[in-house]
Structure formats: structure tokens, C-alpha cells
Amino acid sequence: AVGTLIGALTVGSAMPYLFRALGTLAAVDWRVVVAVASVSALAGGALVLVAGRSGPYDVRAPGFSLESARQAFSQRGVRLANVGYLGHMWELYAMWTWIPIFLLASFAAAGVDDPALAALVAFGVVAIGGIGCVVAGLLADRLGRTTVTIGAMAVSGSAAVITALTFGADPWLTTVAALIWGVTVVADSAQFSTAVTELTPAGTAGSALTLQTAAGFTLTSVTILLVGWVGSEGGDDAWRLAFMALALGPLVGIVAMARLRRSPDAQRLAGGNR
């Protein structure tokens, strides 16, 4: 269920790139693209307001509590799941933010100067992650959360390096590598949040997830700036170095989730499926 939710978020995050591709083809000003994306967000909010309903297991959530968060993070399994999440977030939003600029520069270096094509491929690269989220959610419930998160980070980290190395190569080669990265870079996202709900003491999950999310988005803002700073230096090697650096996050995340897998706490994940 959480995988489906994050999958919807992923496709929604990709939509502005699709609007940009269509706008570029029609020579539409960028302000129109932003306006269309904003209207889409308002439409989504209206849909939830009109049609959204609480599920049968909905309960009133307690307010945020530092003490509850402290209790949650006193558990080794919760700390390891959060390190895995931070490794994931090191990579995710920096990739989503800069992949259209990377593709535009890469395609141009290969002799294909087509902003609409770069924007369209960027939409596909981000949106395909929605499929990865749903599939990973189904697999995690059966094969185990650490199994799926380790596998997803291994592929996404490798794809980050391969995509970086294809800068300036044939656009088809870069596109295929980027699509593999896109489907795996977010596939594990829901599993870190779900793992925290399974590992925390009763009544502390909400506060723990609040801190997890805040820390993750703080970290990813750093890598967004880092990739932009390195990539803006210019030249093929700058983009290659910037994107290869994103593979460091999955590497750290794999180590953390491997340790969690060996921990007795892992028996509480996915009904005993580590």
C-alpha cells in the first residue's frame, strides 16, 4: 500500500517534465509549464477533498513527541533503517532534479540538440519509478524488506555510475541506462518508511517517521546543491563526477540494511520476511 502511494508521488513528480516536453514542442513559455503544473496540483487537492475518505483502520494520531522519537531511535533496528533511508535520499532527489539537465547536455554532446526529447526522456526516467515502487512493495511483503532494499540500491547505485559514464554517448544508450536507474532509484523508498513502522515501539512510529523524513529531505537538499555545483563546472567529466558521486548513498544504505538483516530486529519486518 505504501509502495502504491509513493508510486503515485513519483509519477506526479515526473509530470512537469512531460509538460515541459510538450511546451517545448509548442514553443510555450516556461511560465505556462509552471502554471499547468500548479493547476494540476490544485486539481489533485480538490480530488482528495471531494472523494477522499479515511480507511476502516484510521485512528487519531498523537502529536509529535521528541520523547516518542527518542524511544523509537533507541532501537538499533530503527537507527539502521534510517541510515538506509538517508543513503537512499542522498541519491533520489538530486537525480530527479538534475536528470533533465544531464540528458540535455549529454544529448547535445552526442550531436542531438533537442530540448523536447531530453524533457520527454526525463519524464520517462522519473515516471517509470512508479512501477518500481509498486513492484518492490509486492516483492518486499513476500521476499523481505532488507532483500528488496539491498537489491534496489545495488542496481540503482550501479546504474548511477553507468549513466554517468554514458554522458555524450549515443542517446539511446544513455536513455536505457537512465531508465534502469529511474525504475530502481525510488523502488525502495516506501520500504524504509514501512520498516520504521514495524520496528518502532507502539505509539512512536509517527514521531519517528517525522524525524526520518525531515532528515532525509535536509540531506537531499545538500546533494541537489552539490550536483548542481559540480555539474555547472562544465565539461563531460564534471557531469560524470557529479552523478557518480550519487552512488555513495546506496553504498552506505546497503551496508546499513545488511546489518539490519543480520539483527534479531529483522524478524519483525514483513511478517518475518527480512
Side-chain angles (χ1 to χ4, degrees), residues 102-125:
F102 173 89
L103 291 171
L104 181 64
S106 178
F107 291 177
V112 182
D113 190 7
D114 189 342
L117 177 63
L120 187 61
V121 173
F123 163 73
V125 168

Side-chain angles (χ1 to χ4, degrees), residues 103-233:
L103 291 171
L104 181 64
S106 178
F107 291 177
V112 182
D113 190 7
D114 189 342
L117 177 63
L120 187 61
V121 173
F123 163 73
V125 168
V126 177
I128 199 172
I131 299 174
C133 288
V134 176
V135 172
L138 293 170
L139 292 176
D141 288 338
R142 292 161 175 78
L143 303 179
R145 306 221 188 282
T146 60
T147 301
V148 169
T149 52
I150 289 171
M153 285 188 287
V155 177
S156 69
S158 300
V161 174
I162 293 170
T163 302
L165 292 176
T166 66
F167 184 92
D170 187 291
W172 280 108
L173 180 62
T174 305
T175 297
V176 170
L179 286 170
I180 295 172
W181 192 11
V183 79
T184 55
V185 70
V186 70
D188 51 348
S189 186
Q191 302 316 310
F192 295 110
S193 300
T194 305
V196 167
T197 67
E198 294 168 325
L199 294 170
T200 51
T204 65
S207 296
L209 287 171
T210 298
L211 284 186
Q212 181 194 61
T213 304
F217 277 91
T218 299
L219 177 63
T220 203
S221 67
V222 173
T223 55
I224 288 171
L225 291 172
L226 177 65
V227 170
W229 175 66
V230 175
S232 66
E233 291 297 307

Side-chain angles (χ1 to χ4, degrees), residues 2 35 42 48 52 65 96 109 124 126-127 137 141 146 154 166 204-205 212 236-237:
V2 182
L42 290 172
V48 172
S65 166
W96 279 3
V126 177
D141 288 338
T146 60
T166 66
T204 65
Q212 181 194 61
D236 297 0
D237 289 340

